[in-house]
């Protein structure tokens, strides 16, 4: 029996067993209600409403404190001796690497095909709202992180939910927080293994084998798949062994470089068709209120745009605080401000650039998709670039590979923290996880396991239910932390030094109403 037949049998067996489970869970998590002639997933509404609430609660912080966020990233308010493992910039790139990927390249193409150009407008709006949610969850991640004796730290919803709720509501809060923390850890671990690992390897292998291997090439064979999986597993393992410092070192170079290449390519298409830019913007604005995509109608464009943004930047899901919690800082809100840049980079910049490139280039495949034909999103994006840069599909393949690699790294770290919370931080426990993670990398080049991927997507967005409940309950803590940091910034700016201890807390409480 050949390896191909073995893997096909495994795929079929897993699908037969998990398809009913994946379908049932998916129907619950992504339950839709009819709105304006189309279907609105309630989980998307849950995420968008959180963005609206936190935007109002913190007084449009994503606009008012955007410059301060950039100042923090470049180290203007760094302090010697701050606990943590990585810089603000490294924490940001590590978290961004977990969100920037195939969704920005392929998912956006699907959005502007289903919802028309107008979906871009709503995608941007949702990204802006997500900035406020990201600020809240990351501030809590740093506030309640656990500092270990070896200098490493652990953070995320599995830490701030039990600690924060116990601090605010006593024993009752502690019990609720513990339950939410365990559920959050399970969701993160499950999605990490299947969505953040196996799916990324599977899709990147499919892309490289189709681009460089061909149907009869070595890469398309079972041996080529195994070799690809082994190489990726070895590279991932080497980086994971170094912990978040090693991951941040790689992503701080990889993510900016790939994002820059991708944005420059988008600009090349846009500038070559510069005369079409005004019409493209007009179609985006008009389409937002007079949508003509497959979904049809304003509500269709709105829902598709919101859905694409929510799935892309992960604001409110509780994943990013795990990476951001490793930052070197004494002020939790400082990293919260840094984190609000994440949806801005992921959705407002990169997703929008993809959408604008497609709208301006107007490839034939996009027109066919808007008529209802089934065409892969990455094909539409690739065709848009090919109108100006015939050689760019090869570069796009490289970008997909590197984005997938960085996503596997970041979700490996997220998965390790969830595993450690559930099973302990012993060397044996962590080694076991890393071995399992590497096996899933290799398996990803051979198996598709579509039903488990669907189940993993449900798990990730179910995580947002547990996480956002905690965010609402702990928002007053975030407001105090923000005022503490703003007081520190004020003192630093006037040359008075940073407030500390009780003085800082008192200033924060007095300033709470002025945020």
């Amino acid at each position: 029996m050949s390896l191909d037949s073995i893997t096909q049998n495994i795929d079929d067996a897993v699908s037969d067993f998990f398809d009913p489970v994946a379908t049932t869970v998916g129907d619950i998590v992504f339950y839709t209600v009819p709105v304006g002639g189309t279907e609105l997933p309630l989980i998307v509404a849950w995420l968008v409403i959180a963005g609206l609430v936190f935007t109002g609660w913190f007084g449009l912080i994503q606009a008012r404190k955007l410059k301060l966020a950039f100042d923090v990233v470049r180290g203007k308010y760094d302090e010697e001796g701050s606990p943590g493992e990585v810089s603000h910039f490294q924490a940001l790139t590590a978290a961004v690497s977990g969100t920037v990927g195939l969704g920005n390249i392929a998912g956006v193409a699907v959005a502007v095909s289903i919802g028309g150009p107008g979906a871009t407008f709503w995608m941007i709006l949702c990204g802006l709202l997500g900035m406020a949610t990201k600020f809240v969850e990351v501030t809590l991640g740093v506030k309640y992180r656990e500092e270990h004796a070896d200098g490493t730290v652990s953070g995320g919803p599995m830490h701030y939910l039990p600690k924060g709720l116990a601090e605010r509501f006593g024993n009752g809060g502690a019990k609720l927080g513990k339950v939410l923390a365990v559920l959050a850890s399970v969701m993160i671990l499950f999605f990490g293994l299947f969505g953040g690992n196996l799916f990324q390897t599977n899709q990147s292998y499919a892309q490289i084998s189709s681009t460089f291997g061909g149907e009869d090439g070595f890469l398309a064979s079972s041996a080529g798949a195994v070799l690809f999986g082994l190489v990726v597993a070895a590279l991932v393992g080497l980086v994971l062994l170094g912990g978040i410092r090693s991951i941040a070192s790689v992503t701080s170079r990889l993510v900016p470089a790939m994002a820059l290449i991708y944005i420059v390519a988008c600009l090349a298409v846009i500038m070559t068709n510069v005369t079409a830019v005004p019409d493209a913007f007009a179609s985006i604005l008009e389409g937002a209120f007079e949508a003509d995509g497959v979904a049809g109608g304003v509500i269709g464009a709105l829902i598709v745009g919101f859905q694409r943004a929510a799935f892309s930047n992960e604001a409110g899901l509780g994943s990013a605080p795990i990476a951001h919690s490793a930052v070197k800082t004494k002020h939790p809100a400082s990293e919260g401000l840094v984190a609000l840049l994440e949806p801005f980079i992921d959705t407002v910049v990169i997703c929008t650039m993809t959408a604008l490139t497609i709208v301006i280039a107007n490839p034939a495949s996009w027109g066919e998709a808007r008529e209802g034909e089934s065409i892969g999103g990455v094909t539409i994006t690739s065709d848009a670039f090919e109108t100006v840069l015939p050689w760019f599909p090869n570069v796009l393949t490289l970008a997909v590979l590197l984005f997938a690699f960085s996503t596997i790294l970041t979700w490996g770290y997220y998965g390790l923290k969830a595993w450690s919370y559930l099973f302990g931080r012993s060397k044996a426990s962590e080694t076991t996880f890393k071995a399992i993670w590497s096996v899933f990398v290799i398996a990803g080049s051979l198996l598709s396991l579509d039903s488990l991927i669907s189940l993993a997507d449900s798990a990730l967005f179910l995580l947002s239910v547990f996480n956002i409940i905690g965010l609402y309950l702990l928002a007053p803590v975030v407001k105090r932390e923000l005022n503490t940091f703003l007081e520190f910034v004020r003192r630093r700016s006037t040359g008075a030094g940073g407030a500390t201890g009780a003085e800082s807390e008192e200033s924060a409480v007095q300033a709470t109403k002025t945020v």
Side-chain angles (χ1 to χ4, degrees):
M1 184 178 289
S2 68
L3 183 58
D4 283 335
S5 62
I6 292 174
T7 55
Q8 185 60 52
N9 288 338
I10 294 174
D11 264 333
D12 291 342
V14 170
S15 294
D16 290 344
F17 183 81
F18 281 102
D19 267 347
V21 178
T23 300
T24 301
V25 175
D27 288 345
I28 295 172
V29 175
F30 298 107
Y31 180 80
T32 62
V33 294
V35 178
T38 189
E39 298 294 318
L40 170 66
L42 290 182
I43 195 69
V44 174
W46 173 253
L47 293 166
V48 173
I49 290 170
L52 282 167
V53 169
F54 293 128
T55 294
W57 201 325
F58 292 95
L60 206 64
I61 191 170
Q62 57 267 66
R64 292 192 302 111
K65 301 301 178 184
L66 190 63
K67 179 181 180 300
L68 178 58
F70 281 109
D71 287 341
V72 175
V73 170
R74 63 188 181 88
K76 183 176 180 179
Y77 298 104
D78 286 356
E79 295 178 276
E80 290 292 333
S82 294
E85 300 181 75
V86 297
S87 68
H88 288 290
F89 177 72
Q90 289 177 319
L92 176 64
T93 56
V96 168
S97 70
T99 59
V100 175
L102 294 171
N104 304 77
I105 298 171
V108 172
V110 173
V112 294
S113 297
I114 297 175
T120 307
F121 175 86
W122 301 110
M123 184 173 61
I124 294 170
L125 179 60
C126 186
L128 292 172
L129 294 176
M131 292 169 71
T133 306
K134 191 80 77 167
F135 161 74
V136 174
E137 61 184 348
V138 169
T139 298
L140 291 172
V142 180
K143 166 73 173 176
Y144 295 107
R145 63 185 176 179
E146 184 176 339
E147 298 174 25
H148 307 300
D150 60 0
T152 61
V153 298
S154 297
M158 66 284 285
H159 292 279
Y160 61 71
L161 290 173
K163 292 181 181 179
L165 293 177
E167 182 181 284
R168 281 214 70 202
F169 303 105
N171 290 335
K175 291 177 182 178
L176 173 63
K178 184 68 175 179
V179 172
L180 293 177
V182 170
L183 290 172
S185 297
V186 172
M187 298 301 113
I188 290 168
L189 183 58
F190 190 82
F191 178 83
L193 287 170
F194 293 98
N197 182 337
L198 189 144
F199 176 74
Q200 300 296 326
T201 309
N202 181 272
Q203 293 300 295
S204 57
Y205 167 69
Q207 182 73 13
I208 193 173
S209 62
S210 64
T211 303
F212 299 114
E215 292 184 4
D216 300 321
F218 172 74
L219 276 174
S221 67
S222 298
V226 172
L227 179 61
F228 177 82
L230 287 170
V231 171
V232 175
L235 293 173
V236 169
L238 286 173
V239 179
L240 279 182
L241 287 173
I244 188 62
R245 290 185 179 92
S246 180
I247 294 171
S249 177
V250 172
T251 56
S252 64
R253 294 172 174 82
L254 191 62
V255 173
M258 290 314 305
L260 181 62
I261 291 172
Y262 189 75
I263 290 172
V264 168
C266 290
L267 289 174
V269 175
I270 293 169
M271 296 310 295
T272 301
N273 299 279
V274 67
T275 56
V277 172
D279 288 340
F281 275 111
S283 67
I284 288 172
L285 291 174
E286 291 171 4
F289 303 99
E290 299 175 2
D292 59 353
V294 176
V298 176
I299 299 298
L302 182 151
I303 290 174
V304 171
F306 277 7
Q307 184 170 331
R308 178 62 262 147
F311 276 56
S312 180
N313 61 52
E314 297 180 13
L317 301 190
S319 51
I322 302 174
H324 284 285
S325 294
V327 71
K328 294 178 181 178
T329 186
K330 297 177 182 177
H331 304 280
S334 68
E335 189 62 16
L337 291 172
V338 169
L340 64 77
L341 297 174
E342 195 180 318
F344 182 81
I345 295 168
D346 176 274
T347 305
V348 179
V349 176
I350 297 180
C351 285
T352 302
M353 292 295 285
T354 300
L356 197 58
T357 298
I358 293 170
V359 172
I360 288 175
N362 193 20
S365 55
W366 182 46
E368 294 167 4
R370 293 179 68 189
E371 293 298 323
E373 293 189 29
S374 179
I375 297 175
V378 72
T379 300
I380 297 171
T381 305
S382 180
D383 289 348
F385 284 117
E386 199 169 7
T387 60
V388 172
L389 307 168
W391 45 266
F392 193 75
N394 290 336
V395 178
L396 187 62
T397 297
L398 178 62
V400 168
L401 287 173
L402 293 179
F403 280 143
F405 180 67
S406 64
T407 299
I408 294 170
L409 286 178
T410 300
W411 272 98
Y413 179 72
Y414 293 170
L416 177 60
K417 292 302 180 182
W419 176 280
S420 298
Y421 182 81
L422 293 171
F423 303 109
R425 291 186 63 251
S426 69
K427 185 175 181 180
S429 174
E430 294 190 353
T431 301
T432 299
F433 170 81
K434 291 172 183 177
I436 293 173
W437 191 260
S438 298
V439 169
F440 269 73
V441 172
I442 299 170
S445 62
L446 295 166
L447 304 171
S448 59
L449 302 184
D450 291 336
S451 58
L452 284 176
I453 298 300
S454 298
L455 196 56
D457 283 339
S458 298
L460 184 64
F461 283 87
L462 187 58
L463 173 61
S464 72
V465 177
F466 311 138
N467 185 54
I468 290 177
I469 289 173
L471 300 189
Y472 285 139
L473 295 173
L474 296 173
V477 176
V478 178
K479 182 161 283 194
R480 288 197 299 270
E481 290 297 333
L482 174 60
N483 281 293
T484 298
F485 180 62
L486 294 180
E487 177 65 13
F488 166 79
V489 169
R490 185 189 68 79
R491 287 173 172 268
R492 174 73 73 90
S493 300
T494 58
T500 59
E503 179 185 357
S504 177
E505 285 293 329
E506 183 179 351
S507 298
V509 172
Q510 291 176 351
T512 295
K513 295 182 180 180
T514 66
V515 176

